[in-house]
Amino acid sequence: MFHISKKVIIGGVAGALLFTGGMLSGSNSAIAKKGTQSIKANFANIKLMINGKEIQTKAEPFTYNGNVYVPAATIANMFGIGQKWDNSVPAVRFESPDRVTSDPIFGGMQGQQTYPFPLDYVYALRPGFEKVVNIVNNKELVIPKMESTGKLSEISRMVHGNMFYMLETNSQGSFINGYEIDKVNTGITKLFSRQIEPVKGKLTFNESTREFTEKIHEYVDGKLKLVGVKVYLINWDNMITKTDELLMK
């Protein structure tokens, strides 16, 4: 293997993950230093592999004193982990995807920005729901549709790993579309489209029960009231059936 030695200026280790003997190092000795230090790092075209596939990174990994340093933002991105730089400590803060709230603040190494339609801590829907954006590198992905004129609306955040659901309304009717984000090759695949009854309300998804619920509201005597509920169940073969309907008119 071809090795090149370079001098690197390190101001602490913010922005890099340290791997020692294949394990993530969290010892105090690895993060205790402050200030600027010149080190001699080895660059050997080190590749980052996730499930056997290579991922790209803007900052090249390197070795120093028997340890491998890789970009924290890249690793967090690939595993769907929220990360941000906290200059007050200083520290790199990580949060798991299950900590996503209704309107989270996503923090990347390039700064912070609010995304109103999050899928997880790495991906969010753009307003208009035609595209997904990677909040770490700001790369946009177009969401596939059945028809180019079809209208998409959100149903769920990321579920079952890298999947999410959207409603497509087009000339043929209403469809629940299932999508999967490939975080290694950075792409979106439409896995299926299942037609349901025409949707008049708001669809939501409960991951624990695998149910889609449509709540229908109408104005009655000048007031917005709940007038109907429909429930659809999705099985593990991604077949969708209506299991319940309640009309309150």
Side-chain angles (χ1 to χ4, degrees):
M1 182 181 291
F2 184 57
H3 293 264
I4 299 177
S5 295
K6 298 179 183 178
K7 284 191 174 180
V8 179
I9 304 299
I10 300 293
V13 292
L17 285 177
L18 169 62
F19 289 89
T20 307
M23 298 298 290
L24 180 64
S25 174
S27 65
N28 290 334
S29 61
I31 60 174
K33 292 183 179 180
K34 292 184 178 181
T36 301
Q37 179 182 356
S38 177
I39 67 171
K40 189 175 182 180
N42 294 313
F43 291 83
N45 192 27
I46 299 172
K47 300 182 184 301
L48 299 182
M49 310 290 290
I50 301 292
N51 296 327
K53 297 181 180 180
E54 182 179 358
I55 61 174
Q56 302 298 317
T57 175
K58 293 181 180 179
E60 183 180 350
F62 62 87
T63 60
Y64 169 64
N65 275 353
N67 300 317
V68 180
Y69 291 82
V70 298
T74 300
I75 298 300
N77 175 20
M78 298 314 301
F79 285 105
I81 299 171
Q83 57 81 30
K84 68 179 179 179
W85 170 245
D86 185 347
N87 196 52
S88 64
V89 178
V92 182
R93 297 188 179 276
F94 298 92
E95 288 188 337
S96 59
D98 60 2
R99 295 285 299 277
V100 174
T101 59
S102 59
D103 188 20
I105 298 292
F106 293 101
M109 291 300 174
Q110 303 303 316
Q112 292 186 351
Q113 197 170 5
T114 301
Y115 293 82
F117 307 107
L119 292 176
D120 65 4
Y121 264 110
V122 178
Y123 292 91
L125 293 170
R126 285 293 196 202
F129 309 118
E130 297 286 331
K131 296 179 180 179
V132 168
V133 60
N134 181 311
I135 65 170
V136 176
N137 57 28
N138 211 37
K139 182 175 181 178
E140 291 185 334
L141 302 171
V142 177
I143 303 174
K145 296 186 293 185
M146 294 176 62
E147 297 181 357
S148 59
T149 56
K151 180 181 178 181
L152 293 175
S153 56
E154 64 170 335
I155 295 178
S156 75
R157 296 195 176 100
M158 211 81 81
V159 297
H160 319 315
N162 297 331
M163 282 189 61
F164 66 99
Y165 300 110
M166 298 195 74
L167 173 69
E168 179 176 349
T169 304
N170 57 37
S171 65
Q172 302 175 62
S174 298
F175 295 81
I176 294 176
N177 293 347
Y179 297 94
E180 184 176 44
I181 292 184
D182 185 340
K183 294 185 177 181
V184 176
N185 297 312
T186 316
I188 296 180
T189 301
K190 183 165 69 71
L191 301 177
F192 62 85
S193 295
R194 299 287 184 262
Q195 188 167 17
I196 59 175
E197 295 178 358
V199 174
K200 301 177 181 179
K202 170 68 175 176
L203 269 178
T204 59
F205 180 68
N206 185 320
E207 185 174 5
S208 61
T209 62
R210 297 184 61 82
E211 289 178 328
F212 297 94
T213 300
E214 178 191 3
K215 293 184 178 180
I216 305 168
H217 291 82
E218 291 182 2
Y219 280 97
V220 178
D221 298 328
K223 296 181 180 179
L224 191 64
K225 293 185 178 181
L226 180 67
V227 297
V229 177
K230 295 180 181 179
V231 179
Y232 298 88
L233 178 69
I234 182 170
N235 64 20
W236 292 105
D237 293 321
N238 295 322
M239 301 305 295
I240 297 176
T241 55
K242 187 174 73 171
T243 58
D244 239 329
E245 182 173 7
L246 175 63
L247 298 178
M248 295 175 242
K249 286 186 177 181

